[in-house]
Amino acid sequence: MKKIFVIVIVLTGFVFIALMNSCKVSQKVSMKTGAQLWAENCQRCHNTPSPSSFSPQQWETVGLHMQTRALLTDEERNKIVEFLKQ
Amino acid sequence: MIQGNKLLKILLPIGLLLMQSFIATAQQTVVDSSVLDRLNELEKKVASTKPGEDHVMIVGLATMGFATYKTTNTLNGTSTVTKGNSFPDADHFELSPMFLWRHGNKFLVEFEPSFSNNGLSVNWANVSWFAAPGLIIRAGYFVLPLGTYAKREAAGWINKLATDPMGVADMTPTDYGVEVSGGQPLGNMKFNYDFALTNGNQLQADGTITSGNIVDNNNNKTFTGRLGLLPFSNSSLEVGVSGMFGKVGDQGSEQLNTMAKVYAFDLNFVKLYKPILVNIKAQYNIQDIDKVYYTNPSDSSLYTFNNHTTAYFVQGSIRPTGAEGFIKNIELAGRYTSFNTPTNSSFGSDQHTITVGLNYWFSWRTVFKVTYESYKGNSTASKLLGFYSGTTTTNTLFIHFAIQL
């Protein structure tokens, strides 16, 4: 039980910091390019796929599919898919 | 006559000019109509290949391999050694095509049947509706958001080692129900949520629980939820906390009100320290089922135990993705896993594995793995009831190939 307690405290700390930060508008994502978001996000779970792997139509489908796995924000998904389609 | 000559002199060039322009116009029309014909043809072609709003795609994965092992079991001072090897060993042969149907940008249907050494089964079958920014509503049969291993890290071409961390993935059910999830920016961070309501687990005669039952055994639904936070704007770190709560007993039975509570804490860190990509993954699961009485199958007597299970793993891997040539395709991985099942039950044991692996990546989605796993298990099952099974050590070498389809 002690372990859970410690972990919960640590996580609550994270959430608190997050809420403190949320007053600022997230400029970071809106300033980032699709290429940068692709490089940062896709490697979190597997190797980063190359844009040449799929057609634009297929990237649209994969984009939605990965949004359900990675819970990307809509802005991230749109930017990454636009980049992958080029 | 002179006047006529003059007239001729004037009319002739005009006539010639007119003729010229007639010919030119005629030629022009010829050119135009051929261009138009070609344009029409192209238009038809484009129309026939018009992508439309729908898209169907078949992806998925295939994994295959070979395992050779040696097990030593020691019970009451006597040791027994078993050796074996097999091509499609448990977990290591699977061919699962995944069908994806997309309707515009609002609906995605996923269906993944699976052929494995356990036979034919379905990994998931569900419909996702992208209802609003940051809100995905899903219904059907899906992996529950308890921890992240089962949902995000288990696929053969994603997992860095040939085996799953024991206990961890098994504690995350796949079940029938509805789910809402999504991701949102939070200042310079990001957070995500994933909540599900499903039929829930069912309590078995030995005190274990099973999942994925199309008919619910009681009228109580199980709630599972996870909250994830990516505290850095470069998305390198994600931490998550999740819980699953539901009654697991059969309707009308004495055990109807038995609650199962499962908690999971997960961490994922991936960052490039040029030229090396560092990858750390971990998950800690705790499962508590209310204390109830079970029947000993051998003499129908009743017994009970503290139904508490923990499972966790910590995994690290490195790959010099930023290097040049052959070396950038090589990856080293190591993992420690611990799985403790309830003491004094019919199956309890304290188990640990150390797993190390060397991988070669042919492409971002194709990998050849050599994994070595060393397992130690001490039975903590009830001696009184005759379930105690001694200590077991197993060393296994896996050769494993995985490809994303």
Side-chain angles (χ1 to χ4, degrees), chain B residues 4 7-8 22 56 83 109 117 123 126 156 198 214 220 293 298 305 329 380-382 392-393 395:
Chain B
L7 200 68
L8 200 70
F22 272 136
V56 184
K83 284 184 185 176
V109 181
N117 38 333
N123 290 345
N126 56 66
T198 56
I214 199 157
N220 175 264
Y293 283 90
S298 60
F305 56 89
N329 301 326
T380 59
S382 171
T392 309
T393 58
N395 294 322

Side-chain angles (χ1 to χ4, degrees), chain B residues 132-154:
Chain B
L135 174 65
I136 306 168
I137 301 175
R138 171 187 277 160
Y141 182 62
F142 52 87
V143 182
L144 294 189
L146 182 82
T148 42
Y149 184 82
K151 199 166 186 167
R152 300 177 172 185
E153 294 155 26

Side-chain angles (χ1 to χ4, degrees), chain B residues 323-367:
Chain B
E324 285 301 314
F326 177 82
I327 182 111
K328 73 167 191 288
N329 301 326
I330 306 275
E331 184 170 48
L332 273 173
R335 183 181 69 204
Y336 177 76
T337 312
S338 162
F339 184 32
N340 290 341
T341 48
T343 308
N344 289 331
S345 66
S346 61
F347 55 91
S349 89
D350 277 1
Q351 306 167 82
H352 308 271
T353 55
I354 291 175
T355 317
V356 289
L358 181 68
N359 304 330
Y360 183 81
W361 289 94
F362 294 97
S363 73
W364 66 272
R365 50 182 175 171
T366 314
V367 64

Side-chain angles (χ1 to χ4, degrees), chain A residues 18 26 32 44 61 69 74 76, chain B residues 55 102 110 134 187 190 233:
Chain A
S26 171
K32 285 182 182 178
R44 279 161 44 200
T61 305
R69 292 294 183 275
D74 286 68
E76 283 175 322
Chain B
H55 185 246
R102 171 172 64 80
E110 290 181 59
K190 283 188 293 182
S233 71

Side-chain angles (χ1 to χ4, degrees), chain B residues 307-328:
Chain B
N307 203 340
H308 174 78
T309 306
T310 58
Y312 70 86
F313 79 92
V314 182
Q315 176 183 297
S317 57
I318 47 168
R319 181 177 164 198
T321 47
E324 285 301 314
F326 177 82
I327 182 111
K328 73 167 191 288

Side-chain angles (χ1 to χ4, degrees), chain B residues 225-287:
Chain B
R226 176 179 178 274
L227 286 174
L229 183 73
L230 291 96
F232 306 129
S233 71
N234 62 11
S235 299
S236 58
L237 176 71
E238 178 168 356
V239 286
V241 51
S242 39
M244 176 165 75
F245 312 95
K247 290 181 184 173
V248 290
D250 291 345
Q251 193 73 28
S253 77
E254 267 178 32
Q255 297 170 335
L256 173 62
N257 287 325
T258 312
M259 275 289 289
K261 302 186 196 94
V262 191
Y263 304 91
F265 305 94
D266 58 79
L267 180 146
N268 182 29
F269 177 75
V270 182
K271 197 164 190 286
L272 182 69
Y273 293 96
K274 268 180 188 162
I276 292 173
L277 187 71
V278 174
N279 203 316
I280 296 166
K281 297 194 177 344
Q283 187 173 320
Y284 193 112
N285 288 7
I286 303 159
Q287 175 178 295

Side-chain angles (χ1 to χ4, degrees), chain B residues 22-140:
Chain B
F22 272 136
I23 292 168
T25 326
Q27 273 175 345
Q28 186 86 41
T29 329
V30 171
V31 170
D32 271 353
S33 74
S34 80
V35 167
L36 273 179
D37 282 351
R38 281 179 57 196
L39 258 177
N40 280 338
E41 223 168 275
L42 270 173
E43 262 171 11
K44 265 190 214 154
K45 258 193 200 158
V46 170
S48 70
T49 56
K50 185 169 64 111
E53 296 221 307
D54 295 8
H55 185 246
V56 184
M57 196 171 168
I58 304 175
V59 284
L61 80 154
T63 68
M64 49 212 63
F66 178 77
T68 172
Y69 68 89
K70 181 183 165 190
T71 295
T72 312
N73 179 260
T74 311
L75 181 62
N76 306 326
T78 323
S79 291
T80 338
V81 177
T82 336
K83 284 184 185 176
N85 60 64
S86 169
F87 273 106
D89 210 343
D91 257 329
H92 310 115
F93 178 84
E94 175 182 359
L95 199 148
S96 311
M98 176 175 21
F99 298 78
L100 295 176
W101 292 268
R102 171 172 64 80
H103 290 187
N105 271 329
K106 286 279 173 250
F107 287 97
L108 182 74
V109 181
E110 290 181 59
F111 174 52
E112 188 170 275
S114 178
F115 171 58
S116 74
N117 38 333
N118 297 321
L120 274 175
S121 58
V122 172
N123 290 345
W124 49 78
N126 56 66
V127 183
S128 294
W129 173 35
F130 296 75
L135 174 65
I136 306 168
I137 301 175
R138 171 187 277 160

